[in-house]
Amino acid sequence: MMRRLFFALLTALTLAACSSDPVYHGMTTKQKETYAQAIAGEYKGTYVVIYNNGDSEDKSVKIGNSQMAITDQTMHSVLFRDYPVSALSKVVTDPALAEALASAPNVDIMTAYSFFDMQDNGDVNWGFELSAIPLTLHYGGADHHLTLALDNGNTYYRLEKASLDAGAPFSNQRAFQFSVTAIYDGDTLLQEFNDYWQNSNMFLIYFQLDK
């Protein structure tokens, strides 16, 4: 139920962001620099974790006082601070791995962002491409060099020029979502998490911006 409400919200935001006949064109380097400067900064929010171990209703955990940082065009990066990888312990099936994850420290996720195109009214489509999370854990008497595969469905967000001019770049987009799709130990797949549209094992997290 929670995931349906969440995606209904995302769909509503996406539809609201669409105009009847938008005209798109590329952006100059100067325009990208200007827009990047407008969105650069530290953002406070809450991590909302929605998970399901495959045989229960969706559950959620909220972690407040979280932060997201966005750099200017020189670095063009988004940094999600203190990503709670320990929450994965709720859905992994290997008991030893679950125990190790439960005590794992939070990690920072660094990812690059891009400006895709601009409308004639100055609104811009913007998004980020997620990288996998490397994670070394000791369990079962050995060190394991894990990789957490991430995905956000190639989602992009609209930056409204009016909001940028008002100093509130994401006022029309309050959440940035992504999911863990699999855990690997080297090249070995340990566990795959199913599509979050299905009533099955999944782990979805989104960063909800403070108002």
Side-chain angles (χ1 to χ4, degrees):
M1 180 62 180
M2 284 182 286
R3 82 181 81 172
R4 294 191 183 96
L5 291 173
F6 171 61
F7 283 105
L9 172 61
L10 284 183
T11 301
L13 288 170
T14 302
L15 292 175
C18 298
S19 59
S20 55
D21 293 296
V23 178
Y24 296 99
H25 51 80
M27 299 177 68
T28 66
T29 299
K30 180 61 177 177
Q31 287 173 327
K32 291 180 180 179
E33 291 174 350
T34 299
Y35 278 73
Q37 190 62 42
I39 64 175
E42 293 276 348
Y43 296 85
K44 294 182 179 180
T46 299
Y47 283 121
V48 180
V49 180
I50 302 175
Y51 64 94
N52 192 309
N53 62 12
D55 60 3
S56 66
E57 290 293 323
D58 294 351
K59 298 179 177 64
S60 67
V61 176
K62 292 186 177 182
I63 304 170
N65 298 316
S66 300
Q67 288 187 320
M68 175 184 74
I70 299 178
T71 65
D72 60 17
Q73 184 64 10
T74 303
M75 294 293 293
H76 60 90
S77 63
V78 181
L79 176 65
F80 292 97
R81 301 188 188 277
D82 292 324
Y83 179 86
V85 294
S86 60
L88 272 168
S89 63
K90 301 177 184 299
V91 292
V92 297
T93 55
D94 182 336
L97 174 56
E99 183 178 357
L101 279 168
S103 58
N106 295 341
V107 300
D108 293 342
I109 301 175
M110 177 78 78
T111 180
Y113 71 75
S114 301
F115 296 105
F116 298 111
D117 45 34
M118 175 186 284
Q119 295 185 30
D120 282 346
N121 65 0
D123 291 354
V124 169
N125 287 326
W126 171 93
F128 52 87
E129 183 176 350
L130 288 163
S131 302
I133 302 175
L135 186 67
T136 298
L137 295 177
H138 184 86
Y139 65 94
D143 287 335
H144 296 263
H145 303 288
L146 308 179
T147 300
L148 310 184
L150 302 175
D151 180 57
N152 68 343
N154 296 317
T155 301
Y156 63 85
Y157 308 93
R158 190 178 74 176
L159 296 172
E160 295 182 339
K161 187 176 186 304
S163 297
L164 292 172
D165 292 342
F170 299 110
S171 60
N172 66 314
Q173 180 64 55
R174 304 309 306 177
F176 301 97
Q177 64 91 11
F178 44 97
S179 62
V180 175
T181 58
I183 302 177
Y184 292 87
D185 187 351
D187 295 328
T188 302
L189 174 64
L190 298 183
Q191 185 170 344
E192 191 171 23
F193 299 94
N194 293 327
D195 192 307
Y196 38 68
W197 291 105
Q198 306 297 322
N199 290 319
S200 56
N201 181 289
M202 65 91 189
F203 185 86
L204 167 71
I205 192 165
Y206 63 96
F207 183 86
Q208 181 177 312
L209 292 165
D210 288 346
K211 295 181 179 180

